[in-house]
């Protein structure tokens, strides 16, 4: 019979059945799938244990009787004498209580000494009840944070693959990629955790909080047992991370754990906890979480490092630029403003190996009329290696709306600076370079940014121009003479 069936027939909670099994009082067979198969004899043994414990027979006495070291009659005779002694002691206590009630004694005035002389020492009776197996399985919040730490590590592994292997911007994932990330996190958990449990009995998160997992007999879990446990955690505890349902499952698990019940994945295992002051573990958890957050940030930034490093040829710079443009999700020509209209209907232009703008295959642009032109790049090279990239534009009394070129300037700076041998991701994260260049460019003013032995410069002179509605571009003022001049460069010092 199954654990559920013997639980109903014996009237004994599942946790207690597991306890008596761990104590060696039960030895159920195992089916081919590894699950316990309890016999009629196991049921009779549990019924006997239940009766004897209800009679206040100690667990040690039951263990000796079950092993044949002592006869049941001897144990019961000794226990009967003890019960009679306790009854006599309790009789004395009852008589004293009755006497105090008759005398209507008040706590503030009655004299306890005469009654203490009459009272015999009442040995504390054993607190009888079913033993609970694995009481260390409580601590619901600590177990939750331990699990979340493990999931964070698996998520970080997937982020490494996306960022370092595929050069995907992990902070700008589509809905499909986020769903794929959840699936991959689950797969990593299923692949890694069972091996950790069968080899070490713990995981990084559990180890930090002092938890260890073992079979009910105290041995290490087999890989198959650990895999079954992990799957049950995902299915019953996390609802396979399905939105909303996941939180319902977590709440149910919390309530069951708080009530001291065995969770579904603990039917074939036990979890114990080593002693350590909670503040110490809390400090460790915060420290590890901060480390993982920092690691996640630098993994994200490492994905923005261009594929070509060192001294660049013109072709290598253009390849870097196209990679950066895709990484940062620039889906419009860089001479158009960053507005929802152009983000939804326009398409990016890419640089060919000569540094000239090309449309993507099969896509024709029909936008850009009235806006300043795409940057015409000029390269200064020494022995085939690029030393400086620059572009300039000038308009005199022309009805041209000028954009800031902030995205282009930032991408060009990253494509060149992050390729240098002197570049350090710790000192100059790509996102900080991008943010600084883009923010300065959007002000339509002169600026200089230095990093990794390179300098980014922009000079702007304008008359007769003002902010257009929305503040994204500069437009000529009607009826006034207007001129606009811009020069941008990024070069190695």
């Amino acid at each position: 019979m199954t654990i559920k069936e013997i639980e109903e027939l014996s009237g004994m909670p599942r946790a207690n059945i597991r306890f008596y099994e761990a104590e060696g009082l039960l030895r159920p067979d195992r089916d081919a799938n590894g699950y316990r198969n309890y016999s009629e004899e196991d049921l009779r043994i549990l019924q006997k244990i239940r009766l004897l414990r209800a009679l206040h027979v100690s667990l040690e006495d039951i263990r000796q009787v079950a092993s044949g070291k002592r006869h049941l009659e001897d144990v019961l005779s000794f226990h009967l004498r003890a019960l009679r002694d306790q009854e006599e002691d309790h009789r004395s206590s009852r008589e004293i209580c009755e006497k105090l009630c008759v005398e209507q004694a008040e706590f503030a005035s009655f004299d306890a000494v005469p009654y203490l002389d009459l009272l015999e020492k009442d040995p504390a009776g054993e607190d009888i009840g079913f033993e609970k197996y694995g009481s260390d399985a409580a601590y619901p919040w600590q177990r939750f944070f331990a699990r979340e730490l493990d999931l964070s590590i698996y998520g970080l592994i997937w982020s490494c693959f996306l960022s370092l292997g595929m050069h995907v911007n992990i902070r700008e994932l589509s809905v499909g990629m986020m769903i794929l990330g959840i699936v991959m996190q689950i797969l990593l958990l299923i692949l890694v955790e069972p091996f950790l449990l069968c080899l070490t009995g713990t995981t990084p998160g559990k180890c930090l909080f002092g938890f260890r997992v073992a079979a009910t007999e105290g041995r290490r879990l087999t890989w198959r047992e650990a895999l079954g446990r992990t799957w049950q955690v995902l299915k019953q505890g996390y609802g396979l991370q399905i939105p909303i349902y996941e939180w319902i499952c977590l709440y149910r698990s919390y309530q069951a754990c708080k009530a001291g019940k065995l969770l579904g994945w603990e039917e074939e295992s036990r979890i114990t906890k080593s002693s350590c002051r909670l503040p110490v573990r809390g400090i460790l958890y915060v420290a590890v979480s901060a480390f993982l957050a920092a690691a996640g940030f630098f993994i994200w930034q490492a994905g923005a490092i261009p594929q070509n490093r060192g001294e660049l040829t013109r072709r290598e710079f253009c390849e870097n630029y196209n990679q950066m443009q895709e990484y940062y999700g620039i889906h419009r020509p860089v001479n158009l403003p960053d507005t929802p209209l152009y983000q939804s209907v326009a398409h990016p232009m890419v640089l060919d190996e000569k540094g000239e703008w090309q449309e993507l295959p099969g896509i024709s642009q029909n936008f850009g009329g009235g806006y300043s032109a795409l940057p015409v790049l000029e390269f200064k090279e020494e022995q085939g290696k690029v030393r400086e990239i620059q572009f300039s534009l000038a308009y005199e009394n022309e009805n041209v709306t000028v954009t800031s070129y902030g995205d282009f300037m930032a991408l060009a700076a990253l494509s060149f600076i992050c390729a240098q041998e002197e570049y350090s991701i710790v000192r100059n994260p790509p996102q900080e370079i991008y943010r600084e260049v883009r923010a300065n460019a959007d002000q339509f003013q002169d600026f200089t940014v230095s990093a990794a032995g390179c300098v980014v410069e922009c000079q702007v002179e304008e008359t007769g121009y003002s902010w257009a509605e929305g503040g994204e571009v500069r437009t000529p003022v009607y009826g006034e003479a207007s001129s606009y001049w811009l020069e941008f460069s990024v070069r190695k010092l």
Side-chain angles (χ1 to χ4, degrees), residues 222-383:
T222 64
W223 179 84
R224 186 172 182 175
E225 291 170 337
L227 178 62
R229 185 184 193 278
T230 299
W231 174 247
Q232 291 300 321
V233 169
L234 283 169
K235 186 172 69 172
Q236 298 182 26
Y238 274 80
L240 297 177
Q241 294 192 318
I242 299 172
I244 300 177
Y245 181 59
E246 173 185 3
W247 290 102
I248 295 174
C249 292
L250 285 171
Y251 178 76
R252 290 174 178 172
S253 300
Y254 167 76
Q255 291 295 336
C257 187
K258 186 178 179 181
K261 298 179 181 179
L262 275 181
L263 301 175
W265 52 90
E266 294 173 343
E267 293 183 358
E268 303 294 324
S269 63
R270 61 182 297 182
I271 183 168
T272 57
K273 186 177 186 301
S274 62
S275 60
C276 183
R277 296 179 62 186
L278 181 60
V280 175
R281 299 203 185 277
I283 293 171
L284 287 175
Y285 184 84
V286 171
V288 173
S289 299
F291 172 79
L292 292 178
F297 173 79
F298 284 109
I299 287 172
W300 168 46
Q301 292 298 285
I305 302 300
Q307 58 184 348
N308 299 309
R309 304 293 304 278
E311 294 188 334
L312 303 175
T313 63
R314 182 182 302 199
R315 177 184 59 82
E316 290 172 335
F317 170 82
C318 295
E319 289 176 351
N320 285 356
Y321 178 88
N322 294 334
Q323 177 192 338
M324 292 294 97
Q325 183 171 254
E326 181 179 0
Y327 181 85
Y328 282 94
I330 308 303
H331 300 304
R332 70 187 194 287
V334 292
N335 64 318
L336 299 183
D338 186 11
T339 62
L341 171 64
Y342 293 117
Q343 290 173 353
S344 60
V345 299
H347 301 281
M349 302 280 283
V350 297
L351 292 174
D352 64 13
E353 61 182 15
K354 297 179 180 179
E356 297 177 354
W357 295 102
Q358 300 292 328
E359 296 177 347
L360 292 174
I363 296 176
S364 178
Q365 300 289 350
N366 295 314
F367 301 96
Y371 286 101
S372 51
L374 283 164
V376 177
L377 301 186
E378 298 180 13
F379 295 86
K380 292 185 178 180
E381 301 168 283
E382 293 180 4
Q383 298 179 347

Side-chain angles (χ1 to χ4, degrees), residues 5 12 15 174 198-199 429:
E5 292 171 337
M12 188 177 291
S174 64
C198 67
L199 292 176

